[in-house]
Every structure is written in structure tokens, then in C-alpha cells.
């Protein structure tokens, strides 16, 4: 279960990158569409107008955010209970709460676009939380936190003390 937990956490981090890529794809496509004289309205978004294929990025971003990422976050929380990883449940809850906040910010930003700033910031935090969750399941037990503690021990005493 430790591996399942780690993989799900990394998948959430990857999904954040996909989210960024999809919305960027759509926005740059929109800019090009407008520069070429196109006009964006709901009809264009719903019908995927010819010449603005990048509009699919908006739909992929919304579907990914509202369905796929929350489902993975719930699976991460479920796996955390069986993973036998220190603080796994805590990190899974933090990730899940960040996902809920992300979805709500995305939905409310449609009526209050300034919330898009917080949506972007929370996305970066979600990415970081997912990576921390994944790294906490490092099977070697000698991840970066261990290495930094060893370096700190070396700095204080000049000798690394093994705790193995």
C-alpha cells in the first residue's frame, strides 16, 4: 500500500502540471484566435469552432479539476490509512483539502475573476503538498529529510552518527 500511496501522490502532482499545461494551451490558443479576428462566446466553447481547436483545453482543465483530481485525492486518503507511512493520513487530508479549495476557487472565479490568482497559488501549493506526501513514502527511508539531518549532525560534531 505504501507504493500505491506514493504513486497516487505523484499522480496528483503530475495532474497539477497537466492542469497548468491545459489552461495555458487554451489561453494561448484564445489569444491567437482573437488576434486572427475570432470572437469567443459560449457557442464557440460548446461547438469547438474550427480554427480554435485549443478551446478543448478549457474543457479538459475543468473536467480534470472537478472529477479526476478529486477522485485521485480521495483514493490517496483511502490508501493513506493502509500505507504505514508516518503522517500519511495528515498529508492526504492536506492534499484533499487543497483539492477542494482548488475546485471551489475555480468555480467561484467564474463570477469573481480575481479569485483566479488564489486558484493559481493554491495549485502551486497543491503540487508541493502532493510531492511532500509522495516523498514521505520513500521506501528507502533515507530521503532528503534524512540527508539534511545527517548533514546537520556533521556540521555540529564533525562526525555523522548512524541511527541504523
Amino acid at each position: 500500500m505504501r507504493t500505491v500511496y506514493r504513486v497516487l501522490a505523484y499522480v496528483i502532482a503530475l495532474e497539477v502540471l497537466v492542469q497548468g499545461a491545459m489552461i495555458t494551451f487554451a489561453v494561448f490558443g484564445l489569444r491567437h484566435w482573437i488576434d486572427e479576428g475570432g470572437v469567443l462566446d459560449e457557442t464557440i466553447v460548446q461547438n469547438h469552432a474550427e480554427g480554435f481547436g485549443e478551446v478543448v483545453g478549457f474543457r479538459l482543465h475543468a473536467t480534470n479539476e472537478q472529477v479526476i483530481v478529486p477522485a485521485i485525492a480521495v483514493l490517496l486518503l483511502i490508501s493513506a490509512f493502509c500505507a504505514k507511512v508516518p503522517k500519511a493520513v495528515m498529508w492526504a487530508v492536506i492534499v484533499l483539502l487543497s483539492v477542494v479549495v482548488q475546485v471551489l476557487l475555480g468555480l467561484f472565479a467564474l463570477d469573481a475573476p480575481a479569485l483566479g490568482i488564489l486558484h493559481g497559488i493554491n495549485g502551486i501549493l497543491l503540487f508541493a503538498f502532493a510531492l511532500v506526501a509522495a516523498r514521505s513514502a520513500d521506501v528507502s527511508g533515507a530521503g532528503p529529510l534524512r540527508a539534511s539531518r545527517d548533514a546537520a549532525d556533521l556540521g555540529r560534531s564533525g562526525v555523522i552518527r548512524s541511527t541504523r
Side-chain angles (χ1 to χ4, degrees):
M1 254 341 212
R2 175 183 222 115
T3 300
V4 170
Y5 174 82
R6 184 175 55 249
V7 168
L8 288 171
Y10 278 130
V11 168
I12 289 174
L14 179 62
E15 284 288 342
V16 173
L17 296 178
V18 168
Q19 286 295 92
M22 286 300 101
I23 200 64
T24 303
F25 174 66
V27 169
F28 280 113
L30 176 59
R31 175 60 192 254
H32 179 72
W33 170 258
I34 291 170
D35 285 348
E36 297 293 317
V39 177
L40 181 67
D41 63 12
E42 190 62 28
T43 305
I44 300 296
V45 173
Q46 295 299 325
N47 297 327
H48 304 285
E50 188 173 321
F52 183 29
E54 298 86 356
V55 72
V56 72
F58 289 119
R59 181 158 324 279
L60 290 173
H61 183 84
T63 301
N64 203 29
E65 172 183 63
Q66 295 172 15
V67 178
I68 296 170
V69 175
I72 297 168
V74 168
L75 291 174
L76 178 70
L77 180 60
I78 292 167
S79 70
F81 287 104
C82 302
K84 296 182 181 161
V85 172
K87 299 184 181 180
V89 173
M90 178 192 78
W91 284 114
V93 167
I94 289 170
V95 166
L96 182 60
L97 289 175
S98 295
V99 168
V100 169
V101 168
Q102 190 69 354
V103 170
L104 292 174
L105 284 170
L107 292 173
F108 291 135
L110 296 174
D111 293 324
L115 289 176
I117 295 168
L118 296 176
H119 184 74
I121 292 169
N122 190 67
I124 293 168
L125 291 174
L126 174 56
F127 178 79
F129 295 150
L131 286 181
V132 170
R135 294 296 296 164
S136 72
D138 184 11
V139 288
S140 72
L145 295 177
R146 169 65 187 249
S148 66
R149 283 193 303 263
D150 287 347
D153 286 345
L154 178 62
R156 282 194 298 267
S157 67
V159 176
I160 294 178
R161 293 181 186 87
S162 176
T163 57
R164 293 181 191 161

